[in-house]
Amino acid sequence: MTPLERYESLVDDVEAFRAACDRPLPSVVRVNTIKATVERVREALDEEGIAHEPADWHPGVLRLPEDSPGRNWPHAHGWIHGQEEVSNLPAQILDPQPGDRVWDACAAPGSKTTQLAALMDDSGLLVGNDNNLGRLSALRHNAERLGVTNLVVTNQDARNFSLKPLGEGSDDPATVDAFDAALVDAPCSCEGTIRKNPDAFDTWSLDHVHSVAGVQKGILRRAIQATCPGGTVVYSTCTFAPEENEAVLNHVLQEEACRLVDFDAPLDGIPGVTEWEGEEYDPSVEKALRIYPHHNDTGGFFCAKLEVGE
Amino acid sequence: MSDANDGQRFDRLPATADEREVAGRATRHEVIEWWVDRFGLPEDTFDGYTFWEKGAGKIWIFADDVPSPTDVEGLGMTFLRTRQEHWKPTTNAVQRFGRAAARNVIVLDPDEATRFLAGEDLEPAWDGDWGYLIVAHEIAGGVEPIGVGLYVHDELRSVIPKGRRASLSPPE
């Protein structure tokens, strides 16, 4: 049994699901509004004869049907960034505002981090953290190319992230004691990226699913603790396993002061599942969104929005 | 407070020379004045930003503020190299802030621009200052900075970092 067959009981249209998983993904870029407008990027692509069409749900997400995203002037200027269409979703759902203090717990290589910076108009405080120093250099490279100036890069284990380097507990007026919002785009088994990485299943095992779910629970709990009451935490993965998705939400609902909230999803998907292999989850996990590759012709994805309580 | 630069942490630049405690450290005033003098940027371009040194003479620009010193991996964007004879802006800072420049901007023709981005040195027509220039080209209805060039002895040297150089696909 392949990992995908494992989820066929959860999928609404198994034939369409299988067919989509076998197709390669189109090349997609996000317009970086820190440096350019959508209109100017489209004009520049036209000047170079590069075909482009906007995603129907987002004018700043452009499909390049005949080109790779990296060898053109808009890329050299940092006006565009190659980013899979569905991976544009979590930052949109988090919806940070200019001036906010935002934590991206698993930031490298920085597609979603730089998107958060753009949504904040490059103002306020954005902390991009990753536990892997090598991947942090990719994050810094991408952030600088895209002209981000509001990013603090940290190298910690997100499960016990410390605000001490940001001055926590001191009386300095610039001290950061908590965040207004956090994004947990968690390390996962990446089943939803099979269209991009055909070898994604080579290293798949149920043990790995359970092991990474434990890490995800730790990171999401810390994100909720580090966010102000009333603040927002968005949890996302690019995988289908309920152990890494709804079960993680179910765990933090029991352990931390938070609740799942509804959100308007600009992409099609289906609700989170409330039971899996004999386990039952909190009914509110239905508020999460499961996106399968055939829903929008993208990769697979999972996204949930939480509000932090007192 | 130590009077030596600690290259492992971020320290906020002193506002002016009167507040300087670390020998050789650039001040906020000097950094802004350099960009305004050299490239004719509006005086208020950097209002609201803080400036930091980490590493010898490596200046970073940050859109917000945190307590100083701070021990993190990155703080905003690398911006300027000081502690050398001629201060040198970074490619990324020039791309981000150079659009507002009013002088020492050289606008290349399309072929020259492509070669410059690939890292080639050029001999364009230029009768302005020697030293670091903002190198730009026309794209999508406006002049856009590509990066930094060093103009000496009638030659424009591309100092685009290796990781930002690119060979563009020829048009169809």
Side-chain angles (χ1 to χ4, degrees), chain B residues 88-112:
Chain B
K88 176 175 174 287
T90 64
T91 299
N92 292 311
V94 158
Q95 284 197 353
R96 178 72 167 79
F97 297 101
R99 209 182 272 170
R103 57 179 168 268
N104 288 322
V105 179
I106 183 168
V107 181
L108 301 180
D109 70 32
D111 174 60
E112 289 172 329

Side-chain angles (χ1 to χ4, degrees), chain A residues 43-260:
Chain A
E43 193 178 335
L45 290 170
D46 286 340
E47 284 176 2
E48 290 193 56
I50 297 170
H52 55 89
E53 62 180 80
D56 52 15
W57 64 282
H58 196 304
V61 174
L62 301 174
R63 297 176 181 148
L64 308 183
E66 296 157 13
D67 213 291
S68 62
R71 290 165 66 85
N72 52 57
W73 274 114
H75 184 271
H77 285 299
W79 291 3
I80 55 174
H81 179 70
Q83 182 174 355
E84 214 268 283
E85 184 169 332
V86 74
S87 114
N88 283 269
L89 189 65
Q92 290 285 132
I93 300 300
L94 190 69
D95 192 26
Q97 300 300 305
D100 280 356
R101 298 163 303 166
V102 178
W103 183 37
D104 190 351
C106 315
S111 295
K112 300 177 188 76
T113 320
T114 53
Q115 185 186 4
L116 291 169
L119 291 167
M120 296 164 77
D121 283 342
D122 196 28
S123 76
L125 180 98
L126 174 60
V127 176
N129 178 73
D130 207 275
N131 69 344
N132 183 319
L133 200 58
R135 282 162 55 94
L136 274 189
S137 68
L139 168 66
R140 281 190 39 208
H141 179 84
N142 283 321
E144 294 225 339
R145 188 177 65 80
L146 299 181
V148 174
T149 66
N150 74 337
L151 176 65
V152 182
V153 177
T154 59
N155 179 212
Q156 296 188 36
D157 183 332
R159 290 173 290 186
N160 45 37
F161 183 81
S162 167
L163 288 154
K164 283 276 182 332
L166 303 172
E168 184 188 33
S170 82
D171 53 7
D172 191 299
T175 285
V176 181
D177 284 308
F179 297 105
D180 300 305
L183 173 63
V184 178
D185 182 56
C188 70
S189 58
C190 299
E191 296 159 353
T193 67
I194 189 65
R195 298 179 65 183
K196 186 169 66 181
N197 307 315
D199 52 1
F201 294 148
D202 292 356
T203 55
W204 190 96
S205 75
L206 195 54
D207 278 350
H208 179 242
V209 167
H210 286 295
S211 152
V212 79
V215 174
Q216 291 160 347
K217 288 171 184 170
I219 298 172
L220 185 54
R221 285 190 65 178
R222 182 65 191 123
I224 291 161
Q225 293 161 4
T227 300
C228 302
T232 300
V233 176
V234 165
Y235 178 74
S236 63
T237 71
C238 52
T239 209
F240 305 119
E243 293 91 336
E244 299 179 56
N245 293 329
E246 289 88 347
V248 173
L249 297 175
N250 186 66
H251 175 79
V252 299
L253 288 169
Q254 290 169 359
E255 299 293 329
E256 301 293 337
C258 64
R259 65 186 186 99
L260 280 156

